[in-house]
Tab-separated table of all heavy atoms in Angstrom:
chain	number	residue	atom	x	y	z
A	83	HIS	N	212.638	93.217	126.758
A	83	HIS	CA	212.590	91.791	127.267
A	83	HIS	C	214.110	91.195	127.218
A	83	HIS	O	214.626	90.600	128.129
A	83	HIS	CB	211.634	90.894	126.759
A	83	HIS	CG	211.613	89.514	127.255
A	83	HIS	ND1	211.013	89.320	128.568
A	83	HIS	CD2	212.139	88.348	126.848
A	83	HIS	CE1	211.210	88.005	128.837
A	83	HIS	NE2	211.820	87.419	127.874
A	84	ASN	N	214.670	91.342	126.094
A	84	ASN	CA	215.978	90.780	125.644
A	84	ASN	C	217.148	91.477	126.245
A	84	ASN	O	218.248	90.950	126.470
A	84	ASN	CB	216.279	90.601	124.279
A	84	ASN	CG	215.202	89.470	123.700
A	84	ASN	OD1	214.781	88.496	124.362
A	84	ASN	ND2	214.936	89.469	122.431
A	85	PHE	N	217.082	92.729	126.535
A	85	PHE	CA	218.068	93.495	127.009
A	85	PHE	C	218.132	93.911	128.490
A	85	PHE	O	218.926	94.551	128.969
A	85	PHE	CB	218.255	94.859	126.214
A	85	PHE	CG	218.994	94.675	124.945
A	85	PHE	CD1	218.336	94.176	123.743
A	85	PHE	CD2	220.454	94.689	124.867
A	85	PHE	CE1	219.069	94.010	122.585
A	85	PHE	CE2	221.072	94.555	123.642
A	85	PHE	CZ	220.375	94.248	122.434
A	86	THR	N	217.172	93.432	129.182
A	86	THR	CA	217.084	93.500	130.654
A	86	THR	C	216.956	92.113	131.262
A	86	THR	O	216.196	91.267	130.834
A	86	THR	CB	216.002	94.325	131.170
A	86	THR	OG1	214.762	93.879	130.647
A	86	THR	CG2	216.041	95.808	130.715
A	87	PRO	N	217.935	91.805	132.273
A	87	PRO	CA	217.798	90.427	132.787
A	87	PRO	C	216.539	90.123	133.468
A	87	PRO	O	216.060	90.955	134.273
A	87	PRO	CB	219.017	90.487	133.746
A	87	PRO	CG	219.255	91.924	134.138
A	87	PRO	CD	218.821	92.643	132.949
A	88	SER	N	216.068	88.989	133.451
A	88	SER	CA	214.910	88.560	134.266
A	88	SER	C	215.230	88.092	135.524
A	88	SER	O	214.541	88.068	136.464
A	88	SER	CB	214.199	87.445	133.497
A	88	SER	OG	214.950	86.295	133.267
A	89	ARG	N	216.580	87.759	135.694
A	89	ARG	CA	217.127	87.324	137.040
A	89	ARG	C	218.446	88.064	137.245
A	89	ARG	O	219.218	88.171	136.370
A	89	ARG	CB	217.436	85.841	137.190
A	89	ARG	CG	216.682	85.192	138.209
A	89	ARG	CD	216.975	83.726	138.240
A	89	ARG	NE	216.420	83.039	137.063
A	89	ARG	CZ	216.682	81.861	136.724
A	89	ARG	NH1	217.330	81.152	137.570
A	89	ARG	NH2	216.281	81.351	135.551
A	90	MET	N	218.736	88.653	138.460
A	90	MET	CA	219.937	89.269	138.780
A	90	MET	C	220.844	88.225	139.202
A	90	MET	O	220.559	87.127	139.856
A	90	MET	CB	219.527	90.396	139.895
A	90	MET	CG	218.557	91.344	139.452
A	90	MET	SD	219.078	92.217	138.072
A	90	MET	CE	219.927	93.736	138.850
A	91	PRO	N	222.271	88.469	139.076
A	91	PRO	CA	223.286	87.488	139.395
A	91	PRO	C	223.299	87.300	140.893
A	91	PRO	O	222.938	88.328	141.679
A	91	PRO	CB	224.534	88.153	138.785
A	91	PRO	CG	224.299	89.571	138.777
A	91	PRO	CD	222.719	89.688	138.529
A	92	LEU	N	223.766	86.199	141.331
A	92	LEU	CA	224.002	85.994	142.907
A	92	LEU	C	225.340	86.483	143.228
A	92	LEU	O	226.432	86.128	142.490
A	92	LEU	CB	223.894	84.475	143.105
A	92	LEU	CG	222.528	83.671	142.819
A	92	LEU	CD1	222.775	82.181	142.975
A	92	LEU	CD2	221.507	84.332	143.742
A	93	ILE	N	225.340	87.297	144.173
A	93	ILE	CA	226.567	87.961	144.667
A	93	ILE	C	226.734	87.794	146.247
A	93	ILE	O	225.744	88.244	146.819
A	93	ILE	CB	226.581	89.478	144.336
A	93	ILE	CG1	226.506	89.592	142.808
A	93	ILE	CG2	227.840	90.152	144.760
A	93	ILE	CD1	226.047	90.967	142.286
A	94	ASP	N	227.787	87.372	146.655
A	94	ASP	CA	228.002	87.108	148.068
A	94	ASP	C	227.775	88.447	148.899
A	94	ASP	O	228.396	89.489	148.485
A	94	ASP	CB	229.437	86.492	148.420
A	94	ASP	CG	229.488	85.014	148.063
A	94	ASP	OD1	228.446	84.401	147.907
A	94	ASP	OD2	230.685	84.565	147.785
A	95	GLY	N	226.974	88.381	149.845
A	95	GLY	CA	226.850	89.590	150.757
A	95	GLY	C	225.807	90.498	150.251
A	95	GLY	O	225.498	91.451	150.950
A	96	TYR	N	225.141	90.293	149.077
A	96	TYR	CA	224.146	91.175	148.594
A	96	TYR	C	222.965	90.335	148.046
A	96	TYR	O	223.079	89.268	147.575
A	96	TYR	CB	224.684	92.027	147.360
A	96	TYR	CG	225.798	92.863	147.837
A	96	TYR	CD1	227.087	92.575	147.396
A	96	TYR	CD2	225.482	94.143	148.270
A	96	TYR	CE1	228.053	93.325	147.842
A	96	TYR	CE2	226.513	95.052	148.648
A	96	TYR	CZ	227.831	94.670	148.376
A	96	TYR	OH	228.864	95.447	148.816
A	97	ARG	N	221.778	90.949	148.120
A	97	ARG	CA	220.654	90.376	147.517
A	97	ARG	C	219.999	91.251	146.467
A	97	ARG	O	219.716	92.411	146.821
A	97	ARG	CB	219.603	90.156	148.560
A	97	ARG	CG	218.344	89.410	147.971
A	97	ARG	CD	217.278	89.083	148.973
A	97	ARG	NE	216.016	88.751	148.252
A	97	ARG	CZ	214.878	88.635	148.854
A	97	ARG	NH1	214.866	88.891	150.091
A	97	ARG	NH2	213.882	88.367	148.190
A	98	LEU	N	220.105	91.014	145.260
A	98	LEU	CA	219.478	91.782	144.111
A	98	LEU	C	218.352	91.209	143.531
A	98	LEU	O	218.284	90.067	143.211
A	98	LEU	CB	220.773	91.941	143.072
A	98	LEU	CG	222.161	92.373	143.391
A	98	LEU	CD1	222.929	92.474	142.320
A	98	LEU	CD2	221.905	93.832	144.086
A	99	ASP	N	217.292	92.059	143.478
A	99	ASP	CA	216.077	91.601	142.820
A	99	ASP	C	215.633	92.679	141.742
A	99	ASP	O	215.989	93.795	141.947
A	99	ASP	CB	215.051	91.478	143.971
A	99	ASP	CG	215.058	90.250	144.770
A	99	ASP	OD1	215.325	89.129	144.189
A	99	ASP	OD2	214.941	90.346	145.973
A	100	ALA	N	214.946	92.160	140.715
A	100	ALA	CA	214.424	93.051	139.899
A	100	ALA	C	213.114	92.392	139.282
A	100	ALA	O	213.056	91.219	139.245
A	100	ALA	CB	215.468	93.288	138.646
A	101	CYS	N	212.266	93.332	138.751
A	101	CYS	CA	211.126	92.736	138.153
A	101	CYS	C	210.864	93.588	136.937
A	101	CYS	O	210.918	94.736	136.887
A	101	CYS	CB	209.968	92.582	139.133
A	101	CYS	SG	208.786	93.939	139.115
A	102	ARG	N	210.132	92.844	136.037
A	102	ARG	CA	209.700	93.385	134.826
A	102	ARG	C	208.242	93.229	134.758
A	102	ARG	O	207.826	92.173	134.738
A	102	ARG	CB	210.456	92.784	133.636
A	102	ARG	CG	210.836	93.577	132.493
A	102	ARG	CD	211.621	92.783	131.468
A	102	ARG	NE	211.541	91.351	131.486
A	102	ARG	CZ	212.620	90.711	131.379
A	102	ARG	NH1	213.763	91.187	131.153
A	102	ARG	NH2	212.470	89.227	131.290
A	103	ALA	N	207.429	94.236	134.701
A	103	ALA	CA	205.965	94.095	134.613
A	103	ALA	C	205.587	94.308	133.322
A	103	ALA	O	205.983	95.364	132.572
A	103	ALA	CB	205.345	95.093	135.617
A	104	SER	N	204.639	93.519	132.663
A	104	SER	CA	204.187	93.722	131.272
A	104	SER	C	203.209	94.752	131.359
A	104	SER	O	202.496	95.043	132.333
A	104	SER	CB	203.580	92.441	130.823
A	104	SER	OG	204.481	91.502	130.588
A	105	SER	N	203.128	95.558	130.251
A	105	SER	CA	202.290	96.585	130.076
A	105	SER	C	201.925	96.834	128.639
A	105	SER	O	202.536	96.296	127.648
A	105	SER	CB	202.966	97.857	130.494
A	105	SER	OG	202.125	99.000	130.115
A	106	ILE	N	200.684	97.286	128.329
A	106	ILE	CA	200.368	97.674	126.883
A	106	ILE	C	201.385	98.439	126.301
A	106	ILE	O	201.906	98.347	125.151
A	106	ILE	CB	198.897	98.055	126.843
A	106	ILE	CG1	197.970	97.048	127.272
A	106	ILE	CG2	198.773	98.620	125.421
A	106	ILE	CD1	196.558	97.596	127.292
A	107	GLU	N	201.719	99.556	126.996
A	107	GLU	CA	202.759	100.537	126.539
A	107	GLU	C	204.119	99.984	126.925
A	107	GLU	O	204.336	99.810	128.097
A	107	GLU	CB	202.578	101.931	127.151
A	107	GLU	CG	201.215	102.621	126.483
A	107	GLU	CD	201.348	102.908	125.034
A	107	GLU	OE1	202.546	103.200	124.634
A	107	GLU	OE2	200.414	102.757	124.314
A	108	VAL	N	205.063	100.065	126.010
A	108	VAL	CA	206.490	99.742	126.370
A	108	VAL	C	207.212	101.083	126.436
A	108	VAL	O	207.169	101.757	125.478
A	108	VAL	CB	207.092	98.732	125.386
A	108	VAL	CG1	208.548	98.504	125.656
A	108	VAL	CG2	206.202	97.533	125.253
A	109	GLY	N	208.044	101.135	127.553
A	109	GLY	CA	208.855	102.316	127.656
A	109	GLY	C	210.253	101.913	127.511
A	109	GLY	O	210.676	100.723	127.304
A	110	GLY	N	211.195	102.901	127.941
A	110	GLY	CA	212.654	102.671	127.945
A	110	GLY	C	213.142	102.229	129.194
A	110	GLY	O	214.196	102.525	129.420
A	111	ASP	N	212.297	101.589	130.238
A	111	ASP	CA	212.784	101.322	131.373
A	111	ASP	C	213.834	100.123	131.252
A	111	ASP	O	213.663	99.326	130.536
A	111	ASP	CB	211.788	100.756	132.289
A	111	ASP	CG	210.690	101.778	132.488
A	111	ASP	OD1	210.969	103.052	132.385
A	111	ASP	OD2	209.476	101.463	132.936
A	112	PHE	N	214.862	100.260	132.111
A	112	PHE	CA	215.925	99.212	131.989
A	112	PHE	C	216.571	99.060	133.396
A	112	PHE	O	216.525	99.882	134.177
A	112	PHE	CB	217.014	99.497	130.985
A	112	PHE	CG	217.739	100.750	131.163
A	112	PHE	CD1	218.950	100.771	131.845
A	112	PHE	CD2	217.353	101.980	130.664
A	112	PHE	CE1	219.621	101.950	132.023
A	112	PHE	CE2	218.085	103.129	130.860
A	112	PHE	CZ	219.274	103.179	131.546
A	113	HIS	N	217.155	97.768	133.518
A	113	HIS	CA	217.943	97.525	134.818
A	113	HIS	C	218.981	96.378	134.356
A	113	HIS	O	218.772	95.804	133.499
A	113	HIS	CB	217.060	97.126	135.980
A	113	HIS	CG	216.433	95.791	135.682
A	113	HIS	ND1	215.167	95.814	135.050
A	113	HIS	CD2	216.784	94.538	135.738
A	113	HIS	CE1	214.756	94.489	134.914
A	113	HIS	NE2	215.799	93.717	135.357
A	114	ASP	N	220.127	96.490	135.091
A	114	ASP	CA	221.176	95.508	134.837
A	114	ASP	C	222.023	95.326	136.033
A	114	ASP	O	222.153	96.207	136.750
A	114	ASP	CB	221.963	95.882	133.520
A	114	ASP	CG	222.447	94.738	132.780
A	114	ASP	OD1	222.553	93.629	133.332
A	114	ASP	OD2	222.936	94.907	131.600
A	115	ALA	N	222.723	94.193	136.191
A	115	ALA	CA	223.742	94.068	137.086
A	115	ALA	C	224.837	93.315	136.344
A	115	ALA	O	224.639	92.266	135.774
A	115	ALA	CB	223.209	93.097	138.129
Side-chain angles (χ1 to χ4, degrees):
H83 181 78
N84 289 337
F85 278 86
T86 56
S88 58
R89 233 180 304 174
M90 301 299 265
L92 298 174
I93 300 161
D94 287 338
Y96 297 99
R97 179 179 171 194
L98 302 176
D99 285 316
C101 97
R102 215 179 14 227
S104 295
S105 170
I106 291 175
E107 290 294 323
V108 177
D111 300 340
F112 61 91
H113 62 270
D114 210 345

